[in-house]
């Protein structure tokens, strides 16, 4: 993350600087966050921050113009799903939450399938992996999830459930909910947002509050 992307000032503390990489490629990146009622906002907060400070363009979408996340904040999205096409974006990000009300939403299924057909990155965390299964994009690809897959046998093949908390398989990035920092880092790494390994590790330490004196 090159040049200063975060300056966090606290009383009696020095200015902390997190460095990031900004390239012409990053300037052109465009990410779409798929939101829905009750989504878990903190599972995507680190990732949205990393994207924003590396000059990625961010848009949000949902089935309706406004949704309320699990913290009860109401969010007005950039555009509804009807107005979105996968070709406009480089990345689709789906936070966790209760997937059940969305499993038969054809507009969501179609959007996910469009991203997959174009080999665009799809990053899904926690329960959002269920939506990938419902959209038939998991296929024979490894995945991570916090969902009890026995409750959603129609959407998950247990053979391909990863033992790791974050899994990158082809164009899919999936993670368990509590691994939201690792999820953000893995996604940033695939998008080449870090200058080097040191920058990547420093970002992890920043989010885990381990850069203090």
């Amino acid at each position: 993350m090159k040049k200063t992307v975060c300056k966090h000032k606290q009383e009696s503390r020095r200015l902390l600087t997190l460095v990031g990489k900004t390239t012409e490629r990053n300037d052109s990146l465009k990410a779409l966050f798929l939101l829905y009622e009750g989504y878990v906002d903190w599972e995507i907060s680190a990732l949205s921050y990393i994207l924003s400070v590396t000059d990625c363009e961010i848009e949000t979408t949902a089935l309706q113009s406004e949704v309320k996340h699990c913290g009860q904040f109401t969010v007005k999205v950039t555009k509804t799903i009807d107005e979105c096409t996968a070709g406009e974006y480089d990345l689709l990000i789906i936070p966790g939450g209760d997937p059940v009300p969305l499993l038969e939403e054809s507009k969501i299924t179609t959007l996910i399938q469009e991203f997959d057909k174009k080999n665009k990155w799809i990053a899904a965390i926690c329960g959002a992996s269920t939506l990938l299964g419902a959209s038939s994009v998991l296929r024979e690809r490894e995945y991570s999830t916090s969902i009890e897959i026995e409750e959603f046998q129609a959407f998950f093949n247990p053979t391909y459930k990863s033992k790791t908390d974050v899994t990158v398989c082809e164009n899919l990035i999936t993670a368990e909910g509590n691994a939201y920092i690792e999820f953000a880092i893995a996604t940033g790494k695939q998008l080449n947002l870090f200058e080097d390994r040191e920058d990547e590790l420093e970002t992890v330490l920043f989010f885990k509050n381990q850069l203090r004196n």
Side-chain angles (χ1 to χ4, degrees):
M1 296 191 328
K2 190 177 187 181
K3 303 301 181 186
T4 303
V5 297
C6 172
K7 294 181 178 179
H8 205 68
K9 203 170 188 179
Q10 298 178 335
E11 291 182 13
S12 305
R13 300 190 182 280
R14 68 180 178 84
L15 185 66
L16 296 180
T17 303
L18 188 63
V19 204
K21 183 177 184 181
T22 307
T23 65
E24 291 183 3
R25 178 177 181 275
N26 292 342
D27 289 340
S28 65
L29 283 177
K30 190 173 182 180
L32 180 66
F33 284 78
L34 172 57
L35 310 181
Y36 52 93
E37 284 296 315
Y39 76 90
V40 184
D41 56 306
W42 50 264
E43 290 181 344
I44 54 172
S45 60
L47 178 54
S48 63
Y49 178 77
I50 289 174
L51 292 173
S52 67
V53 297
T54 50
D55 296 327
C56 297
E57 185 177 352
I58 294 174
E59 290 189 354
T60 54
T61 190
L63 291 169
Q64 58 275 0
S65 61
E66 291 185 351
V67 294
K68 185 178 290 185
H69 65 56
C70 67
Q72 300 301 300
F73 285 19
T74 298
V75 178
K76 183 176 178 62
V77 299
T78 310
K79 57 179 69 171
T80 62
I81 286 182
D82 290 327
E83 303 171 282
C84 295
T85 58
E88 297 179 62
Y89 306 95
D90 301 285
L91 168 70
L92 175 66
I93 301 155
I94 314 175
D98 181 7
V100 175
L102 307 177
L103 295 179
E104 296 184 3
E105 288 287 354
S106 60
K107 292 179 181 179
I108 289 179
T109 297
T110 299
L111 183 67
I112 292 172
Q113 291 173 341
E114 287 179 353
F115 270 82
D116 189 53
K117 286 177 182 177
K118 293 181 179 295
N119 202 35
K120 305 273 188 174
W121 286 109
I122 302 175
I125 186 169
C126 197
S129 297
T130 313
L131 300 178
L132 304 190
S135 302
S136 302
V137 304
L138 286 180
R139 299 190 293 277
E140 297 179 353
R141 297 195 273 190
E142 287 193 338
Y143 60 88
S144 294
T145 183
S146 300
I147 286 287
E148 295 295 332
I149 63 174
E150 294 79 10
E151 298 177 11
F152 298 91
Q153 295 183 23
F155 308 120
F156 292 108
N157 185 334
T159 302
Y160 298 102
K161 188 176 188 300
S162 176
K163 295 181 180 180
T164 61
D165 53 12
V166 179
T167 300
V168 179
C169 188
E170 298 177 14
N171 63 313
L172 304 183
I173 305 167
T174 53
E176 297 177 3
N178 288 338
Y180 61 97
I181 300 300
E182 292 80 2
F183 173 67
I185 298 300
T187 304
K189 186 175 181 179
Q190 296 306 312
L191 296 174
N192 298 317
L193 299 183
F194 302 111
E195 184 160 317
D196 48 33
R197 178 63 173 165
E198 180 181 358
D199 181 33
E200 178 185 335
L201 292 175
E202 185 181 30
T203 305
V204 173
L205 294 175
F206 170 78
F207 282 114
K208 292 182 176 292
N209 197 30
Q210 295 180 14
L211 289 179
R212 303 167 63 189
N213 284 332

